Amino acid sequence: MRITSNFDSGNINVVDISDAKNIQLSINKDHQSDFYQWFHFKLETTAGEEHILRITNAKDAAYPEGWENYQAMASYDRETWFRVNSEYKDGELVINHIPDFDNVFYAYFVPYSYERHLDLIHQSQLNPDTQLITLGETLDGRDMSLLQIGVPKPGKKSIWITARQHPGESMAEWYVEGLLDRLFDADDATSRLLLDKAVFYVVPNMNPDGSARGHLRTNAVGTNLNREWLEPSMDKSPEVYLVTEKMKEVGVDLFLDIHGDEAIPYNFVAGCEGIKSYDARHQMLEESFKAAYAAATPEFQDVHGYSKDKPGEANPTVGAAWVGEQFKCLSYTVEMPFKDHNDAPDAVYGWNDVRSAKFGADALTAVYAVIDQLR
Ligand SMILES: [Zn+2]
């Protein structure tokens, strides 16, 4: 038996691999940080035998409640990812699996690799009226890439989509891939009409360093980017600094910041009710958007989610709150589950890459419903 994580977004530490029925593992912390929860590794072994893999430091992970009723994901071909029997007990995540093939990958969620990210942004530039813009560099020297889709004209809205500030939330980039596929579909009337009315500014990966490093929550120097929006810096958070500078240049009329939530088994949004400038108009926009999203797909709901901020008590360092206040616009954090969306559960796959992409495509229906009311 052998375990390796020496590849894009790999993360695991092998404690003891002498016994297939008691493989002991631990997850490495994000660099210069105490956060950890993302794992991604390959087991090379003998198919057809029972394997018990124990993540021994699960209870001190960033969100231990994320392990409750969670089923790990596995794949033989790195294309199709399915759930495997997992249980959180005595502070450990215990995965019990009889692999069908000798080589099997396990991960916290379907990975979205840096190479696929490069494919996504460069293939996107082949579409009409689409520009791939490099805003600058990350601390590891990767491109900070922005897609500008549509022709800027006076009166057009600026719609911003960012994903994966928290790099372990790979569902966020699958969501963006689905959204882009639909936006580039010239036979989709919603997309065509949206591009008549708006320019889309899309950052498919806000944290490419953390993603490639196999981090859960931070960038190359341990910064949680979604607490940097009030005062980003080129030293600690160039990713946010570069994006906020561009936002100030072109404006923002609608912002969706795409995330995954470890614990809550539903898709939901978190809004701006706690920002200082929140008013009846902002509330009306939020309610219109949520109603349209729920009408577009049963994968969205508004019953389960975070408790609402009290008036004036939003954390102004969070991306969606900062944008909502700065630009007085509709601004949402979109959350998807690591587990499943319990309004439409799927025992084999749970919430996954394909559903995330469809959910991203459906977001355009909700954007279309509010586009004329944004300003
Ligand atoms: Zn997040």
Side-chain angles (χ1 to χ4, degrees), residues 103-152:
N103 291 275
V104 53
F105 284 81
Y106 298 94
Y108 187 30
F109 194 79
V110 182
Y112 196 105
S113 73
Y114 185 61
E115 291 299 320
R116 189 177 182 107
H117 164 74
L118 293 176
D119 290 347
L120 176 71
I121 57 175
H122 290 90
Q123 288 165 12
S124 292
Q125 73 171 340
L126 307 185
N127 289 284
D129 303 327
T130 300
Q131 276 184 278
L132 171 57
I133 299 168
T134 304
L135 298 172
E137 272 191 9
T138 65
L139 296 168
D140 282 343
R142 291 189 175 85
D143 295 349
M144 267 311 289
S145 302
L146 168 73
L147 291 166
Q148 176 187 301
I149 305 155
V151 184

Side-chain angles (χ1 to χ4, degrees), residues 265-327:
Y266 292 96
N267 290 307
F268 59 96
V269 291
C272 278
E273 69 282 347
I275 66 171
K276 291 197 173 65
S277 65
Y278 192 72
D279 57 12
R281 179 189 149 274
H282 199 141
Q283 184 179 7
M284 178 275 294
L285 280 173
E286 288 191 342
E287 283 169 8
S288 299
F289 181 86
K290 287 191 290 189
Y293 212 170
T297 173
E299 301 281 35
F300 179 74
Q301 58 80 53
D302 191 33
V303 175
H304 308 275
Y306 301 143
S307 51
K308 292 214 183 304
D309 289 327
K310 296 202 178 74
E313 291 188 5
N315 182 342
T317 69
V318 169
W322 181 82
V323 169
E325 186 61 55
Q326 178 80 15
F327 298 97

Side-chain angles (χ1 to χ4, degrees), residues 166 169 217 259-260 335:
H166 298 140
E169 296 161 11
R217 205 159 166 81
H259 288 254
E335 297 280 355

Side-chain angles (χ1 to χ4, degrees), residues 206-280:
M206 282 291 294
N207 195 340
D209 293 348
S211 304
R213 283 169 173 261
H215 285 188
L216 175 75
R217 205 159 166 81
T218 69
N219 72 359
V221 294
T223 308
N224 176 358
L225 296 179
N226 205 22
R227 300 294 182 271
E228 289 287 305
W229 286 66
L230 199 54
E231 291 181 335
S233 71
M234 285 304 283
D235 293 343
K236 272 182 69 194
S237 47
E239 302 90 343
V240 176
Y241 183 87
L242 294 164
V243 165
T244 53
E245 288 299 297
K246 186 71 179 179
M247 284 178 160
K248 289 172 191 167
E249 180 193 323
V250 302
V252 186
D253 296 303
L254 187 160
F255 178 47
L256 299 178
D257 185 32
I258 318 302
H259 288 254
D261 184 87
E262 289 79 0
I264 300 174
Y266 292 96
N267 290 307
F268 59 96
V269 291
C272 278
E273 69 282 347
I275 66 171
K276 291 197 173 65
S277 65
Y278 192 72
D279 57 12

